């Protein structure tokens, strides 16, 4: 089967499932498992897993290994296991990922086989749930992005959104009630074999070194199916907000990151109370310190959402007049993280043997990626600050390489060299 052919067939399948689900909101799907082991679905699942890269799980089999084994052979083995009903997921390998604040967050790494089966299952069931998801949800959904969510927030804040409920769900992925999650899945899916697969993944457990832990709560952060399960669980919040919360404020959700933009303090307080009530229904808690009501009115306070800081500031019109608008620019945390990456990619001892061209080539990929995400209408000052930091970091590297004592001398010369050799800018 050709690659393009499998992609088109999968798209047609998903479209058909979506339209069927959209037509009847009470319909339960009883024949989806046979879609999971379809040859074209498994091939498309493999392509997506391969594109995401990632390391091997507890079996030690990597993406390269599967290429050596033979993709067709490997997928055929998975297909046989699924058809015969003998597929069993392995426990998830737990690794700790360092965070910008010095702490660590756990990340579960399933085996590549489990990632392929999860992706194939996601392909089959996602369109059914997409038909039910609300417009306020933007995270990990087809044709939806963080940029879209940020634009909705900006417009809502500019449209008399003077108070914002900045909500933080405490350890969301660790605290999802698995029984309630399965009941929500069962509202749309009655195929017992699909339900069994999802239960198996929830109960597969996590391997910390040599210790296996199986929890009654949570979904593994890092597994392919986890973001979809999170959206299924939090769709209850979205639906209840549509029913009871619209008079209080506009909810914008990206996975478990949530903000509610309100016209006044009274509405914001009502919104927070309602949100706490809904969280209680879902057996979740809002973080008592990180969850707060932010006053945007006078520009003294702001809030972070999806890596950008939001704050009301004064802008000038072309004729010299002034008006207030919501500025969006990289948050302090995002700036710190970017500076750390810049430093480690330019000014580390191991890179003194590298030439400017190679450093610039590697740095340009980072700059383009950041710029695509963080670029807004009001980011100028912050992007220029990052450009200056990149120039200074290159200058330190250049002077160390040429054994000059003063690390920041010749900054003008270095700036000319790196821009002449094609270094991109954060600010445009």
């Amino acid at each position: 089967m050709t690659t393009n052919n499998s992609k088109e067939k999968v798209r047609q399948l998903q479209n058909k499932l979506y339209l069927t689900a959209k037509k009847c909101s009470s319909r339960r799907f009883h024949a989806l498992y046979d879609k999971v082991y379809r040859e074209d679905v498994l091939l498309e699942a493999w392509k997506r897993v391969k594109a995401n890269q990632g390391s091997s799980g507890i079996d030690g089999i990597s993406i390269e290994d599967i290429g050596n084994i033979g993709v067709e052979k490997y997928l055929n083995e998975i297909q046989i296991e699924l058809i015969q009903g003998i597929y069993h997921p392995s426990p998830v390998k737990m690794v700790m990922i360092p965070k910008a604040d010095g702490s660590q967050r756990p990340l579960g790494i399933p085996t590549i086989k489990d990632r392929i089966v999860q992706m194939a299952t996601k392909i089959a069931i996602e369109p059914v749930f997409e038909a039910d998801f609300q417009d306020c949800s933007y995270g990990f959904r087809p044709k939806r992005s963080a940029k879209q969510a940020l634009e909705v927030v900006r417009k809502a804040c500019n449209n008399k959104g003077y108070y914002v409920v900045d909500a933080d769900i405490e350890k969301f992925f660790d605290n999802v009630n698995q029984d309630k999650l399965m009941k929500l899945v069962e509202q749309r899916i009655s195929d017992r074999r699909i339900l069994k697969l999802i239960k198996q993944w929830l109960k597969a457990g996590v391997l910390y070194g040599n210790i296996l832990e199986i929890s009654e709560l949570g979904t593994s952060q890092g597994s392919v199916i986890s973001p979809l399960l999170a959206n299924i669980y939090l769709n209850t919040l979205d639906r209840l907000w549509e029913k009871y919360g619209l008079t209080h404020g506009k909810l914008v959700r990206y996975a478990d990151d949530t903000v509610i933009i309100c016209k006044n303090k009274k509405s914001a307080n009502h919104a927070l109370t309602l949100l706490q009530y809904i969280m209680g229904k879902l057996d979740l808690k809002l973080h008592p310190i990180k969850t707060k009501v932010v006053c945007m009115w006078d520009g003294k306070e702001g809030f972070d959402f999806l890596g950008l800081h939001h704050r009301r500031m004064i802008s000038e019109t072309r004729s010299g007049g002034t008006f207030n608008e919501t500025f969006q620019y990289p948050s302090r945390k995002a700036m710190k993280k970017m500076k750390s990456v810049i430093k480690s990619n330019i000014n580390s001892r191991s890179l003194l043997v590298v030439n400017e061209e190679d450093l610039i080539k590697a740095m340009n990929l980072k700059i383009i990626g950041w710029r695509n995400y963080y670029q807004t209408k009001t980011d100028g000052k912050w992007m220029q600050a990052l450009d200056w930091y990149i120039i200074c970091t290159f200058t330190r590297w250049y002077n160390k390489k040429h054994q000059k004592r003063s690390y920041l001398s010749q900054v003008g010369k270095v700036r000319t060299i790196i821009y002449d050799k094609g270094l991109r800018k954060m600010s445009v």
Side-chain angles (χ1 to χ4, degrees), residues 28 60 110 113 152 163 166 313 354 359 374 379 392:
R28 295 174 76 215
K113 180 200 277 188
V152 171
Y163 284 83
D166 181 9
M313 292 187 182
V354 180
L359 280 187
Y374 289 103
D379 64 11
C392 291

Side-chain angles (χ1 to χ4, degrees), residues 404-417:
K404 297 190 185 297
R405 284 190 176 178
S406 177
Y407 283 161
L408 271 176
S409 68
Q410 304 191 84
V411 69
K413 177 187 173 183
V414 173
R415 176 166 53 188
T416 304
I417 290 169

Side-chain angles (χ1 to χ4, degrees), residues 320-332:
T322 60
F323 65 99
N324 283 316
E325 70 168 325
T326 305
F327 274 51
Q328 290 177 317
Y329 51 88
S331 67
R332 195 174 287 177

Side-chain angles (χ1 to χ4, degrees), residues 255-270:
D256 59 324
D257 284 335
T258 307
V259 289
I260 305 161
I261 300 101
C262 310
K263 305 273 185 191
N264 53 53
K265 192 172 185 179
K266 187 180 175 184
S267 293
N269 288 333
H270 281 311

